[in-house]
Amino acid sequence: MQKYWNEPAERMSRSDIEARQSELLVKLVERVYNNVPHYRAKMDEAKLKPSDIKSIADLPKLPFTYKQDLRDTYPFGMVACPMDDIIRIHASSGTTGRQTVVACTRNDIEMWSEIVARALVAAGASKSSMVQVSYGYGLFTGGLGAHYGAEKLGAAVVPTSAGNTKRQIQSMHDFGSTHLCCTPSYALYIAESIEDMGLDINEFKLQAGVFGAEPWTEEMRREIERRLHIKAYDIYGLSEIIGPGVSYECEAQGGMHINEDYFIPEIIDPNTGEVLPAGSKGEIVFTTLTKEGLPLIRYRTRDITSLNYEQCPCGRTFVRMNKPQGRSDDMLIIRGVNVFPSQVEDVLLKMGETSPYYMLIVDRVGTRDTLEIQVELSDSMFSDAVKGIEDLEKKIQANIESTLGISAKIKLVEPKSIQRSEGKAVRVIDKRKLV
């Protein structure tokens, strides 16, 4: 079985990694300064010229990039190449319904395919494998990222996307899928459905799964492995950087190797922006070294984690990041979808049929994330007949699902029953135990 997809890259010495990063960083800074007005303005404000950046040691001199920068330059203001060179557009959700747009060139797609192929090989896949991709396709980066990585590897791809679970299971069984790519919660739902259908998991050929797009615990990993009779591997990414494959787990399952030949990671104090010493826990920040379409310098992910530079038993030399243990902002990840409380507020305010007070209650029932949104009735609505309240719940539910992209239970509550705050309002109760 092939152990590495690209051994010369995945086993580079630390000095070679840093030399490559320095060389590419110098070129990157010059390119974005010359081609992206937003970066040129930021660097001019900081009194920085491209010639001031000579190696990765100078990286902390550069300003951070925030998700808000992508919104402010929507849709293509951060693109660093002619639009004729863009062959793919992806997008992720934003706080007000405005999408965060990601533009890729052919070389960007090739790089993305390369790093996902590395992740699949680390999970035991080969050219002989059959990879079932049950992430959603479309603007979401999960489905096509896994798809192209599997094709790069030369494996057969079963592009089932998400949903239609019984048919997915039938295909998985009949086609002999060996590797499953989806969210961990959906993997467990598939396991439950296999059991409900009265099928014997031993009659399947599944060997491993590559799961990401949402937080998951070691307990969930063990449950997936037990019920699907596979080894479950973690994969990390975010649309703004490229999508899944920024980092990936190997057989040691001791953290996710960051593809350092394409991305520079830093750990910073989320409050001060100060770069923290190796091993410290803080917010992970990424710089994309080779992206042509939408390169990013020191992008604030808001994910809290730490980096491990110790030698990994698998032989890969790329630094490992530990599972993110939370976020430094208010974004929630529910069933693989980014959810912001302000999106709910936007829906309610536009409808104008309730008071503007609400609460999101996130929980995990069994293996699946649940979302209940409590919405406070106005005094006038509270006296309405039950039928009117039920109709309003359904109306809110439809609007919320259309905006968030996931279903939620709507519970209308009495006026003034949601706690008020003189400071920052508490809009979320997350009951999931993710650490």
Side-chain angles (χ1 to χ4, degrees), residues 223-240:
E223 185 74 359
I224 291 171
E225 292 182 335
R226 180 183 69 82
R227 296 173 75 169
L228 287 178
H229 294 193
I230 62 173
K231 191 163 184 177
Y233 295 84
D234 208 347
I235 189 169
Y236 172 88
L238 55 164
S239 297
E240 296 87 345

Side-chain angles (χ1 to χ4, degrees), residues 82-100:
M83 286 302 296
D84 284 354
D85 292 341
I86 299 299
I87 67 164
R88 175 87 61 76
I89 303 293
H90 282 286
S92 62
S93 61
T95 58
T96 60
R98 173 171 281 190
Q99 302 174 101
T100 301

